[in-house]
């Protein structure tokens, strides 16, 4: 019921734009989420039929756990059930994209963490590897920022579900850092009013400081040290090697390079390209931006959480 309220509450925000693309996005989102909710209900019904209990915390049979895993993967947009996410995000405004990429992930991810001890590990690993590869590959040829962020989300979710059955606390840490990085990125794109790479290339003319900060946020999303984005990747790879999954760790690390390539391409677009100018002035009109204190805090967190790693590990 909570998942359904969550789904139905965001649909008015999606259709706020009064555009055919927005209506299409809302329809696609509603259908996929309704399918996933029906599958969750179906898996709990099968489990109740087999065990006599309605709880999802201790499913003993393989069939309901597999159905539950697939249902949560559809809800989150994990590969191979990822195709709705880029299309849905492309039809929405930036604020709704931000809500969809962050807040809407919390409920299904919480369910996944609660049931992580009984979900099918092999299925999760296969979907995780597929998500990181598709998330990197899909974003390579994109020019629209919303689609790039959608593929970035798919790749990050792959890292989360890879480690969720081995160390749920690491998956939670990854989720928190993903929320910080994605929020800072979307807020910066909203401030700069950039929806594609062409608009991004003139962002340094509008707000040079913010354009420089966006480069740091992009490097953090790519997982380069010493930014915060490197922290979960490093800890997850360490955990996977402890589980004697060296080949899988190597594949995951190589698939992260695909994502890193388009983040570097975006930072190159921001910093080293200037569009052909017909005016004599090299500066554009600068609107007075009401920059909140949220963006600087998020940028600082996305850049500087690496030094507090020992503290986070102690909390772990």
């Amino acid at each position: 019921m909570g998942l359904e309220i969550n789904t139905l509450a965001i649909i008015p925000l999606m259709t706020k734009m009064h555009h055919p693309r927005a209506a299409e996005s809302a329809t696609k989102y509603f259908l996929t989420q309704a399918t996933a909710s029906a599958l969750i209900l179906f898996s709990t019904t099968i489990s109740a039929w087999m065990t006599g209990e309605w709880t999802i915390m201790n499913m003993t049979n393989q069939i309901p756990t597999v159905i539950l895993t697939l249902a949560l993967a559809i809800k989150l947009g994990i590969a191979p059930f990822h195709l709705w996410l880029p299309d849905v995000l492309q039809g929405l405004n930036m604020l709704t994209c931000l809500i969809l990429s962050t807040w809407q992930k919390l409920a299904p991810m919480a369910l996944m963490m609660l049931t992580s001890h009984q979900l099918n590990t092999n299925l999760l690993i296969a979907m995780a590897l597929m998500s990181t590869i598709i998330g990197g590959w899909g974003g390579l040829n994109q020019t629209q920022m919303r689609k790039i962020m959608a593929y970035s989300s798919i790749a990050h979710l792959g890292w989360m579900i890879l480690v969720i059955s081995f160390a749920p606390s690491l998956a939670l840490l990854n989720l928190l850092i993903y929320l910080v990085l994605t929020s800072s990125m979307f807020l910066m794109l909203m401030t700069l009013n950039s929806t594609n790479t062409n608009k991004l290339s003139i962002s340094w003319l509008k707000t040079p400081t913010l354009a420089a900060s966006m480069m740091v946020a992009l490097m953090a999303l790519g997982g380069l040290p010493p930014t915060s984005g490197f922290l979960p990747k490093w800890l997850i790879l360490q955990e996977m090697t402890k589980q004697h999954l060296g080949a899988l760790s190597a594949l995951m690390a190589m698939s992260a390079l695909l994502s890193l390539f388009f983040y570097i391409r975006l930072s190159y677009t921001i910093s080293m390209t200037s569009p052909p100018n017909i005016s004599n002035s090299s500066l554009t009109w600068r609107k007075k931006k009401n920059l909140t204190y949220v963006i600087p805090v998020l940028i600082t967190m996305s850049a500087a959480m690496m030094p507090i790693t020992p503290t986070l590990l102690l909390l772990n």
Side-chain angles (χ1 to χ4, degrees), residues 10-30 87-93 96-97 100 146:
I10 200 172
I11 287 173
L13 289 174
M14 289 179 156
T15 52
K16 191 175 66 173
M17 273 172 43
H18 300 298
H19 191 275
R21 285 301 299 269
E24 183 191 334
S25 291
T27 311
K28 282 179 180 174
Y29 183 75
F30 175 72
D87 282 351
V88 165
L89 284 194
Q90 188 54 35
L92 308 174
N93 64 3
T96 319
C97 286
L100 196 71
R146 283 168 288 199

Side-chain angles (χ1 to χ4, degrees), residues 231-242:
L231 171 61
K233 285 188 171 63
W234 168 37
L235 294 174
I236 288 168
L237 289 176
Q238 187 183 19
E239 180 63 34
M240 298 320 284
T241 45
K242 279 182 191 170

Side-chain angles (χ1 to χ4, degrees), residues 3-75:
L3 288 169
E4 281 307 293
I5 292 167
N6 192 18
T7 302
L8 293 172
I10 200 172
I11 287 173
L13 289 174
M14 289 179 156
T15 52
K16 191 175 66 173
M17 273 172 43
H18 300 298
H19 191 275
R21 285 301 299 269
E24 183 191 334
S25 291
T27 311
K28 282 179 180 174
Y29 183 75
F30 175 72
L31 290 173
T32 50
Q33 297 299 308
T35 307
S37 297
L39 280 173
I40 290 172
L41 203 55
F42 183 49
S43 74
T44 48
T45 310
I46 292 173
S47 179
W49 180 46
M50 288 176 170
T51 60
E53 285 186 4
W54 279 99
T55 177
I56 60 166
M57 289 295 288
N58 50 2
M59 289 181 177
T60 49
N61 198 282
Q62 195 71 21
I63 298 166
T65 52
V66 168
I67 295 171
L68 184 66
T69 310
L70 296 177
L72 292 172
I74 294 169
K75 272 217 168 285

Side-chain angles (χ1 to χ4, degrees), residues 43 57 76 81-82 91 106 123 133 154 162 184 186 190 202 215 242 302:
S43 74
M57 289 295 288
L76 287 163
F81 310 106
H82 66 284
L106 294 180
L123 184 61
I133 292 169
I154 293 163
L162 175 72
S184 64
F186 270 118
M190 282 158 62
I202 57 164
M215 282 178 60
K242 279 182 191 170
S302 57

Side-chain angles (χ1 to χ4, degrees), residues 6-295:
N6 192 18
T7 302
L8 293 172
I10 200 172
I11 287 173
L13 289 174
M14 289 179 156
T15 52
K16 191 175 66 173
M17 273 172 43
H18 300 298
H19 191 275
R21 285 301 299 269
E24 183 191 334
S25 291
T27 311
K28 282 179 180 174
Y29 183 75
F30 175 72
L31 290 173
T32 50
Q33 297 299 308
T35 307
S37 297
L39 280 173
I40 290 172
L41 203 55
F42 183 49
S43 74
T44 48
T45 310
I46 292 173
S47 179
W49 180 46
M50 288 176 170
T51 60
E53 285 186 4
W54 279 99
T55 177
I56 60 166
M57 289 295 288
N58 50 2
M59 289 181 177
T60 49
N61 198 282
Q62 195 71 21
I63 298 166
T65 52
V66 168
I67 295 171
L68 184 66
T69 310
L70 296 177
L72 292 172
I74 294 169
K75 272 217 168 285
L76 287 163
I78 294 162
F81 310 106
H82 66 284
L83 291 167
W84 62 271
L85 189 59
D87 282 351
V88 165
L89 284 194
Q90 188 54 35
L92 308 174
N93 64 3
M94 281 292 183
L95 183 61
T96 319
C97 286
L98 169 63
I99 296 166
L100 196 71
S101 302
T102 54
W103 186 259
Q104 295 297 102
K105 305 283 185 205
L106 294 180
M109 194 50 92
L111 274 178
M112 203 170 243
M113 281 177 186
L114 280 173
T115 57
S116 59
H117 59 281
Q118 64 193 14
L119 296 178
N120 191 317
T121 310
N122 292 333
L123 184 61
L124 283 175
I125 287 173
M127 287 197 299
L129 189 57
M130 213 183 300
S131 294
T132 47
I133 292 169
I134 288 171
W137 223 324
L140 286 180
N141 211 20
Q142 300 296 336
T143 55
Q144 298 292 326
M145 287 309 298
R146 283 168 288 199
K147 281 199 172 179
I148 287 174
M149 291 308 291
Y151 282 111
S152 164
S153 173
I154 293 163
H156 277 90
L157 285 166
W159 282 91
M160 279 176 235
I161 64 158
L162 175 72
V163 80
I164 203 163
S165 52
F166 301 108
S169 54
L170 268 186
L172 180 62
L173 173 68
N174 196 345
L175 177 65
L176 291 173
I177 289 176
Y178 161 77
L179 293 177
V180 168
L181 298 179
T182 308
S183 303
S184 64
M185 195 66 203
F186 270 118
L187 287 168
M188 282 189 274
L189 290 171
M190 282 158 62
T191 310
L192 295 169
N193 199 17
S194 301
T195 51
N196 56 32
T197 47
N198 287 344
K199 284 184 182 176
L200 206 62
S201 64
I202 57 164
S203 60
W204 63 274
L205 302 172
K206 297 175 187 172
T207 320
T209 317
L210 204 60
S213 305
M214 193 184 273
M215 282 178 60
V216 176
L218 284 165
M219 293 301 103
L221 277 167
L224 279 186
T227 57
S228 306
F230 176 63
L231 171 61
K233 285 188 171 63
W234 168 37
L235 294 174
I236 288 168
L237 289 176
Q238 187 183 19
E239 180 63 34
M240 298 320 284
T241 45
K242 279 182 191 170
Q243 301 289 340
H244 306 292
L245 295 166
L248 180 68
S249 305
L251 280 170
M252 289 295 287
M254 284 192 284
S255 63
L257 295 175
L258 289 168
S259 301
L260 183 61
F261 176 79
F262 64 76
Y263 295 130
I264 289 174
R265 198 189 67 194
L266 284 176
S267 54
Y268 169 77
T269 306
I270 295 166
S271 59
M272 295 185 186
T273 57
S274 55
N277 241 337
I278 52 166
S279 69
N280 294 327
S281 170
S282 64
L283 295 174
T284 59
W285 285 99
R286 296 189 187 188
K287 288 190 293 180
K288 185 166 170 44
K289 297 279 184 187
N290 294 323
L291 281 172
T292 58
Y293 292 108
V294 178
I295 298 178

